[in-house]
Amino acid sequence: MTEVATARRSRLTPEREAELYEAVLDLLREVGYDALTMDAVAARTRSSKATLYRQWGGKAQLVVRALRHGKPHHLDEIDTGSLRGDLHAMALTEDDCSIEQNAALMRGIAMAIHSNPDLREAFREQLIEPEMAEFRKIFQRAIDRGEIREDCPALKFMLHMMVGGFATTTLMDDKPPTQSFLVSYIDAVVLPALGLRTTED
Amino acid sequence: MTEVATARRSRLTPEREAELYEAVLDLLREVGYDALTMDAVAARTRSSKATLYRQWGGKAQLVVRALRHGKPHHLDEIDTGSLRGDLHAMALTEDDCSIEQNAALMRGIAMAIHSNPDLREAFREQLIEPEMAEFRKIFQRAIDRGEIREDCPALKFMLHMMVGGFATTTLMDDKPPTQSFLVSYIDAVVLPALGLRTTED
């Protein structure tokens, strides 16, 4: 599968690929997932539908790849020497404006996931799982440094804790969290749940 | 406002009111919030639209009152003598089948909230705030018993933590959390974030 994907993707230059993803994200913002068609992507990007299907396999895969492309932070570049530093760095990679843009996209996708099992599957495989793998490296380093215990029960709920921090504000106030909210949430909830206290504590 | 609401509502017997709310919840399950009309509620319940508007003011208010009526747990009845006991009791008031039914309704509402500010407002005022007020009493007792500190930073993120536990499973697996998942989440995340350790810890 990886080989096939590489072979497929090698037919486009990285610039052309980026251009396609940007067009998909624009369309997503304009019409949402359900109303987005491969015809519209083809028209917007002056490519053939056959090319799109050959390259990505389908709408769900194309949209998720575009979302992945649009994510500004790269967890694999974060290594500050402490868990608190790493988690804060994560919260600070996106400025408030970018958080807002991405939250709008993500809300649309979260709604579409319910009625599109193929989107949920692609979202999990292409976005959540790679992100969680990077996330686990951050926690493994914290375990290796002795900051948190390997058998800490909260470790298996990291995704739930983080989604709670992001999604609740978005849902209740119809606006995404700010950087400073995320930093407070990490200090007040995530680190204590992991048994690691902040210096102010 | 409370007096007016009481005066309004007193025109219906509690049985008739319950019947109306059940019909609204059935309609919500069948067609979702956006497609639910006051005409359909009036037809289903053999009442006049004028009565519905006089009693509840509008669709958002009627739907939120129905959701509130449909919530099986009453936090004000919970007082087990420990915070862990109270939070577990909360998680256990709904059996897995009821959690599933309510999660489906809540997901629909969560989606509708984005495009319906009046629904978001009613949802916050009639459901979240009363629930949070009861929630705060549970935490106040824990503070009074010395189980948690009054200035514990996690206290202001209770809603976020709980939503994270509920919504992430619903979103990622398209199925709501089970009772046993909720109990694990409370023990692994909520109590440690509050600085209260479980006995197994």
Side-chain angles (χ1 to χ4, degrees):
Chain A
M1 182 63 204
T2 315
E3 267 180 85
V4 176
T6 313
R8 273 185 196 153
R9 213 152 284 125
S10 65
R11 288 175 207 161
L12 293 182
T13 64
E15 293 72 23
R16 177 69 179 138
E17 211 181 324
E19 205 177 284
L20 272 158
Y21 292 146
E22 290 303 330
V24 171
L25 295 179
D26 285 344
L27 275 167
L28 261 183
R29 288 192 190 94
E30 289 163 29
V31 302
Y33 182 82
D34 286 321
L36 183 144
T37 62
M38 292 296 256
D39 281 313
V41 175
R44 180 75 62 103
T45 60
R46 291 162 204 250
S47 38
S48 75
K49 266 172 69 179
T51 305
L52 297 178
Y53 278 105
R54 197 173 50 239
Q55 291 282 131
W56 286 280
K59 174 174 143 178
Q61 291 81 358
L62 172 57
V63 163
V64 169
R65 290 290 308 184
L67 287 170
R68 193 170 161 181
H69 168 81
K71 279 189 89 68
H73 66 202
H74 300 281
L75 296 186
D76 56 345
E77 289 164 14
I78 292 174
D79 188 4
T80 65
S82 77
L83 180 59
R84 185 174 189 232
D86 285 358
L87 295 182
H88 283 193
M90 270 180 53
L92 299 172
T93 38
E94 280 193 76
D95 63 32
D96 289 345
C97 176
S98 160
I99 291 179
E100 194 153 341
Q101 286 181 344
N102 280 313
L105 275 180
M106 285 299 172
R107 179 174 44 221
I109 293 297
M111 291 182 188
I113 270 179
H114 177 53
S115 36
N116 297 280
D118 55 337
L119 176 63
R120 184 168 55 245
E121 205 42 44
F123 189 78
R124 190 206 309 267
E125 269 180 23
Q126 297 288 323
L127 265 171
I128 299 295
E129 284 178 7
E131 199 98 321
M132 288 303 287
E134 291 300 331
F135 220 39
R136 274 189 285 269
K137 286 185 201 160
I138 288 177
F139 289 109
Q140 189 56 53
R141 288 200 305 266
I143 292 166
D144 295 342
R145 282 188 301 256
E147 289 183 277
I148 54 175
R149 282 171 51 171
E150 186 157 18
D151 60 354
C152 175
L155 277 172
K156 66 170 182 286
F157 298 107
M158 286 314 304
L159 183 65
H160 304 80
M161 283 196 259
M162 297 309 289
V163 168
F166 264 89
T168 312
T169 318
T170 307
L171 183 64
M172 295 312 302
D173 306 326
D174 201 34
K175 62 179 184 212
T178 60
Q179 285 188 336
S180 70
F181 172 90
L182 290 174
V183 166
S184 312
Y185 182 77
I186 288 165
D187 284 350
V189 173
V190 181
L191 296 176
L194 290 165
L196 188 148
R197 297 287 155 171
T198 64
T199 46
E200 290 80 36
D201 215 35
Chain B
M1 180 62 202
T2 315
E3 267 180 87
V4 176
T6 313
R8 271 186 198 154
R9 211 150 287 125
S10 66
R11 287 173 210 162
L12 293 182
T13 64
E15 292 72 23
R16 176 70 178 138
E17 210 181 326
E19 204 177 284
L20 272 159
Y21 292 146
E22 289 301 332
V24 171
L25 295 179
D26 285 344
L27 276 167
L28 261 183
R29 286 192 191 96
E30 289 163 29
V31 303
Y33 182 82
D34 285 321
L36 183 145
T37 64
M38 292 297 255
D39 281 313
V41 176
R44 180 77 61 104
T45 59
R46 293 161 201 249
S47 40
S48 75
K49 265 170 71 177
T51 305
L52 297 178
Y53 278 105
R54 196 172 53 239
Q55 292 281 131
W56 287 279
K59 173 174 143 179
Q61 291 81 358
L62 172 57
V63 163
V64 169
R65 289 290 308 183
L67 287 171
R68 192 170 160 181
H69 168 81
K71 279 188 87 68
H73 66 205
H74 300 282
L75 296 185
D76 56 345
E77 290 165 12
I78 291 174
D79 188 2
T80 65
S82 77
L83 180 59
R84 186 174 188 232
D86 285 359
L87 296 183
H88 283 194
M90 271 181 52
L92 298 173
T93 38
E94 279 194 76
D95 63 31
D96 289 345
C97 176
S98 160
I99 292 179
E100 193 153 342
Q101 285 181 344
N102 279 313
L105 275 179
M106 286 300 172
R107 180 176 42 222
I109 294 298
M111 291 183 187
I113 271 180
H114 177 53
S115 38
N116 297 281
D118 56 336
L119 176 64
R120 183 168 55 246
E121 206 42 46
F123 188 78
R124 189 205 310 267
E125 270 180 22
Q126 299 286 324
L127 266 172
I128 298 296
E129 285 177 8
E131 198 98 322
M132 287 304 287
E134 292 300 330
F135 219 38
R136 273 189 287 269
K137 285 185 203 160
I138 288 176
F139 289 108
Q140 190 55 53
R141 289 200 305 266
I143 292 167
D144 296 342
R145 283 189 299 256
E147 289 183 278
I148 54 174
R149 283 171 52 170
E150 186 157 20
D151 62 353
C152 176
L155 276 172
K156 66 170 182 288
F157 297 107
M158 286 314 303
L159 183 64
H160 304 81
M161 282 195 263
M162 297 309 289
V163 168
F166 264 89
T168 312
T169 317
T170 307
L171 183 64
M172 295 312 303
D173 305 326
D174 202 34
K175 62 179 184 213
T178 59
Q179 286 188 336
S180 71
F181 173 90
L182 290 174
V183 167
S184 312
Y185 182 78
I186 288 166
D187 284 349
V189 173
V190 181
L191 298 176
L194 290 165
L196 188 145
R197 295 288 154 171
T198 63
T199 46
E200 290 79 39
D201 215 37

